[in-house]
Amino acid sequence: DVKVTQSSRYLVKRTGEKVFLECVQDMDHENMFWYRQDPGLGLRLIYFSYDVKMKEKGDIPEGYSVSREKKERFSLILESASTNQTSMYLCASSDMGLAVYEQYFGPGTRLTVT
Amino acid sequence: GDSVTQMEGPVTLSEEAFLTINCTYTATGYPSLFWYVQYPGEGLQLLLKATKADDKGSNKGFEATYRKETTSFHLEKGSVQVSDSAVYFCALMFSGGYNKLIFGAGTRLAVHP
């Protein structure tokens, strides 16, 4: 069965802390994505990666960075957490190519920054 | 830019009622269209999709038809169940590489017995 896992379901951090959110997929997918989900705004793309060590900014990259050292793992980093980064974070993965491929999502990490 | 607009929720229905959730899109080309569903406490999962005009996607009793002339992809179900209570997201994607999705804001559906 297809699986995308995220390291934590709930996380509470203090303002200014460095935060790591981890995502692992077992489908050998090339593409991986990080979104944040906020009420009334839907999902917004933060960063995505189409290959190991490759990354592209999404729509709201400010305050975030990412790392993809292995194909199956994609990390989201909040260099200095702020309260406006309190949100639900969702990771997804998909195949790459000319066809339209479904994105598979992890269960999400609800991050609270106090 | 490209965008997706969904009807605002919450939508509250009685069991066995008919469901429509409206979705319209703005896009420069011809995207593929998706409905994703998020059950409480879970991530998103694909409900159905359509890749070209006049295609009908269907799954679990839900249907949506890709209408190019009205740039719409409305979700329908003839008889909802309590277990359909979830948040529904309409999304578009352009093929040809990264499979990036653009999502609508989501519509919460609550079905009561």
Side-chain angles (χ1 to χ4, degrees), chain B residues 33-72:
Chain B
L33 300 173
F34 299 78
W35 277 100
Y36 276 81
V37 59
Q38 185 179 34
Y39 297 104
E42 298 183 14
L44 276 69
Q45 55 186 274
L46 180 66
L47 182 59
L48 53 85
K49 70 180 181 186
T51 57
K52 61 183 187 296
D54 300 324
D55 267 2
K56 179 186 280 189
S58 61
N59 186 25
K60 299 182 181 179
F62 291 89
E63 292 184 343
T65 302
Y66 189 164
R67 302 282 188 204
K68 190 175 74 171
E69 62 277 10
T70 54
T71 62
S72 65

Side-chain angles (χ1 to χ4, degrees), chain A residues 6-112:
Chain A
Q6 295 183 229
S7 50
S8 306
R9 293 300 299 269
Y10 300 94
L11 211 51
V12 179
K13 295 292 182 181
R14 294 191 183 278
T15 301
E17 278 193 83
K18 190 168 186 176
V19 181
F20 293 86
L21 303 182
E22 305 285 340
C23 174
V24 177
Q25 50 96 3
D26 66 358
M27 296 162 283
D28 202 36
H29 284 165
E30 288 85 2
N31 296 336
M32 295 188 74
F33 307 83
W34 275 107
Y35 296 90
R36 65 176 281 174
Q37 180 182 2
D38 300 289
L41 297 177
L43 276 73
R44 293 178 291 166
L45 183 63
I46 303 171
Y47 268 96
F48 68 100
S49 168
Y50 53 90
D51 202 351
V52 175
K53 297 191 186 295
M54 307 303 288
K55 61 185 179 186
E56 292 283 341
K57 292 180 180 178
D59 301 317
I60 52 165
E62 297 78 18
Y64 303 94
S65 62
V66 290
S67 171
R68 193 161 179 207
E69 296 296 319
K70 294 185 177 182
K71 190 175 185 180
E72 67 271 17
R73 188 180 297 269
F74 191 36
S75 302
L76 180 69
I77 303 156
L78 287 65
E79 296 288 343
S80 177
S82 64
T83 54
N84 63 12
Q85 293 178 308
T86 292
S87 186
M88 171 72 89
Y89 290 88
L90 291 166
C91 175
S93 72
S94 78
D95 270 323
M96 176 193 263
L98 295 178
V100 171
Y101 293 108
E102 174 184 351
Q103 283 191 19
Y104 293 87
F105 284 82
T109 296
R110 185 166 294 281
L111 173 67
T112 302

Side-chain angles (χ1 to χ4, degrees), chain B residues 3 7 9-10 14 17 20 25-27 31 34 47-49 52 60 77 79-80 86-88 92 94 104 107 109 112:
Chain B
S3 65
M7 64 186 286
S14 298
T20 300
Y25 67 90
T26 302
F34 299 78
L47 182 59
L48 53 85
K49 70 180 181 186
K52 61 183 187 296
K60 299 182 181 179
K77 187 175 185 183
S79 176
V80 293
V87 181
Y88 292 82
L92 66 84
F94 288 98
T107 302
L109 170 67
H112 56 83

